[in-house]
Amino acid sequence: MMLFIQLVVVLLFIFLGARKGGLGIAYAGGAGVIVLGLLGCKVDPGTGIPWDVIGVIISVISCVAAMEVAGGLELLVMLSERILRHNPKRITFLAPTVTFFMTVLCGTGHVAFATLPVIAEVAKEQKVRPSRPLSIAAVASQIGICASPISAAMVAMAAIVGPLGVSYPKLVLVSIVGGYVGSMIGAVVSSKLGCELELDPVYLQRLGKGQISHREAGNYNIKPYARRSLIIFVVSLVVVMAYAAAITAVDKPPLPRGAAIMTFMMTAALVIATLCKVPLNEITSQATYKSGTSAAICVMGVAWLGNTFVSSNIDTIKAAGSGVIHSAPWLLFVVLFLAASLLYSQAATTVTFMPVAAALGLPASVLVGCFAAASALFLLPTYPTVVAAVEMDDTGTTRIGKYIFNHSFLIPGIVSISAACLASYGVMLVVG
């Protein structure tokens, strides 16, 4: 009976946090921990809070923010625009390719914000319904988090499946291949959705009222050290990957994987600040830094809530859930998919639910196969990149229906994540 009451408390505070949005998720998580403690759960911030995950978020975001001050992020956006404009008729496939790999590179989906206006403009120029590339691009940026070698979600997942025989390089490889394949399958479906732009009544109405604007291409102010900062960041990413691969077979490496990512990223930030003459006081004012700090606090609150409940009831959960989950392992996909839509964080979803799935004895192939489901942040159309995509499309084709769930991202998102999970599972079976 007490287990049921505690579970209701967890779900209630997650729902409350989701209703508040933003940092409300973190605050509700902290409040829920108080209630769980009063109900008999053991509260231990040392083990309940995923400090490694939070450390990775902060260190990676601070490095990206330093690169942003130096102009490297704007240079990356400029290069992305060139790719999009090189073959504009393929915008529905190029857009998710760009946002997916930008996210993989930077470890945060917020870098996709800067490309959304470019995607919308190129689509309009080619008379392509903008909802097609914008919707799948937003979804692909979310999936990219679960494929980035420096994302907090990847670090958390590596710690869970590492003891099951899945090396970090293998996990990254499977996640990138599965995530990109899923995004491209989603792009195929997205390219068929909705009528053509010139037949859309909302677009025609806005066009008649002169509400459709056009943006000039190539209007960038690239700073002197932009290229240098981007090169430093990419080199640091390569070093992280090389080190992670090198310590795979080492019992006691000088730096564990999580610590290596944190220290290498902070070192890269120091090099960028020094060699690119970055004013340090400007780093904390960058949009990427603010969003990353918010994400770290949210992970702290909601993961602490979930871990407190799970660690206090793990034996009961194993006894009750092992038979069900083994007979229907696809339920993990459903749990992750729905949880991500409420928690709005791939990292929080991973650290809260994946350890339970591993404790229930699910094989590594299923765990890795379902990993991409933690990216389902689009289900409720209130996630920042989803909202931004709607706002960037002045044609009105990217929209949220009056029933909330009938929005432009629903079908491309469900298809992409389902395909990504199936592809990842298939690749896992092939690579062993």
Side-chain angles (χ1 to χ4, degrees):
M1 183 62 181
M2 184 56 68
L3 173 66
F4 177 75
I5 295 174
Q6 292 171 355
L7 177 60
V8 170
V9 168
V10 171
L11 296 178
L12 178 63
F13 278 94
I14 287 177
F15 179 74
L16 176 61
R19 287 289 301 274
K20 290 291 183 181
L23 288 174
I25 297 175
Y27 300 154
V33 170
I34 297 176
V35 178
L36 289 181
L38 295 175
L39 291 175
C41 288
K42 181 182 178 181
V43 177
D44 184 359
T47 57
I49 300 176
W51 294 111
D52 278 1
V53 172
I54 294 173
V56 167
I57 294 175
I58 293 174
S59 57
V60 170
I61 286 297
S62 65
C63 186
V64 173
M67 181 177 66
E68 184 176 4
V69 175
L73 203 54
E74 187 172 11
L75 175 60
L76 185 60
V77 173
M78 185 189 75
L79 296 174
S80 300
E81 179 169 356
R82 288 181 180 176
I83 294 173
L84 292 170
R85 292 187 179 279
H86 181 69
N87 193 354
K89 294 186 181 300
R90 299 290 181 182
I91 184 66
T92 305
F93 297 91
L94 289 177
T97 298
V98 166
T99 57
F100 177 82
F101 284 106
M102 282 183 68
T103 302
V104 169
L105 176 65
C106 297
T108 171
H110 293 281
V111 295
F113 278 114
T115 65
L116 295 178
V118 179
I119 294 169
E121 186 60 32
V122 173
K124 285 188 292 186
E125 291 173 0
Q126 297 300 314
K127 302 299 181 183
V128 173
R129 184 182 179 89
S131 63
R132 294 171 177 173
L134 282 172
S135 60
I136 189 60
V139 170
S141 71
Q142 296 175 10
I143 297 175
I145 289 292
C146 289
S148 173
I150 56 174
S151 73
M154 179 64 75
V155 171
M157 188 63 179
I160 295 166
V161 299
L164 302 178
V166 180
S167 66
Y168 181 73
K170 181 188 292 186
L171 176 62
V172 172
L173 173 64
V174 171
S175 300
I176 290 177
V177 173
Y180 184 63
V181 169
S183 298
M184 289 299 98
I185 293 176
V188 172
V189 173
S190 185
S191 67
K192 308 296 182 183
L193 295 177
C195 64
E196 297 305 317
L197 179 61
E198 295 180 325
L199 298 176
D200 189 285
V202 176
Y203 166 72
L204 294 175
Q205 184 181 34
R206 293 192 176 193
L207 184 64
K209 293 180 179 180
Q211 296 176 336
I212 308 299
S213 62
H214 293 280
R215 171 184 176 274
E216 293 185 6
N219 188 20
Y220 295 98
N221 181 25
I222 303 302
K223 297 180 180 179
Y225 297 104
R227 186 182 300 275
R228 183 181 297 177
S229 68
L230 182 57
I231 291 174
I232 293 171
F233 184 82
V234 173
V235 169
S236 67
L237 180 62
V238 173
V239 171
V240 166
M241 287 293 295
Y243 180 83
I247 66 171
T248 299
V250 178
D251 290 333
K252 294 182 179 180
L255 285 173
R257 187 180 300 108
I261 293 176
M262 290 182 234
T263 53
F264 289 171
M265 287 292 103
M266 293 174 72
T267 301
L270 175 63
V271 175
I272 290 173
T274 303
L275 298 184
C276 302
K277 300 181 180 180
V278 171
L280 295 180
N281 62 325
E282 294 184 13
I283 293 177
T284 55
S285 64
Q286 301 306 303
T288 50
Y289 185 90
K290 293 177 180 179
S291 64
T293 303
S294 176
I297 298 173
C298 288
V299 168
M300 174 182 174
V302 75
W304 194 2
L305 175 66
N307 288 343
T308 298
F309 169 74
V310 171
S311 61
S312 299
N313 299 282
I314 188 64
D315 293 334
T316 305
I317 293 173
K318 284 182 180 179
S322 59
V324 176
I325 199 71
H326 277 283
S327 62
W330 54 268
L331 286 175
L332 176 60
F333 171 90
V334 176
V335 169
L336 294 174
F337 190 97
L338 295 177
S341 68
L342 291 176
L343 299 181
Y344 279 173
S345 169
Q346 293 90 338
T349 303
T350 301
V351 300
T352 303
F353 294 96
M354 278 298 190
V356 180
L360 291 175
L362 283 178
S365 58
V366 173
L367 297 178
V368 176
C370 291
F371 183 32
S375 300
L377 280 56
F378 60 85
L379 187 60
L380 295 174
T382 53
Y383 192 72
T385 48
V386 170
V387 174
V390 174
E391 293 177 349
M392 295 297 178
D393 184 9
D394 57 8
T395 68
T397 61
T398 309
R399 48 191 178 232
I400 299 171
K402 64 179 181 179
Y403 300 110
I404 300 178
F405 287 100
N406 58 328
H407 51 75
S408 300
F409 309 86
L410 184 63
I411 295 176
I414 292 175
V415 170
S416 296
I417 289 185
S418 300
C421 289
L422 289 173
S424 298
Y425 180 71
V427 176
M428 274 296 296
L429 295 180
V430 172
V431 300

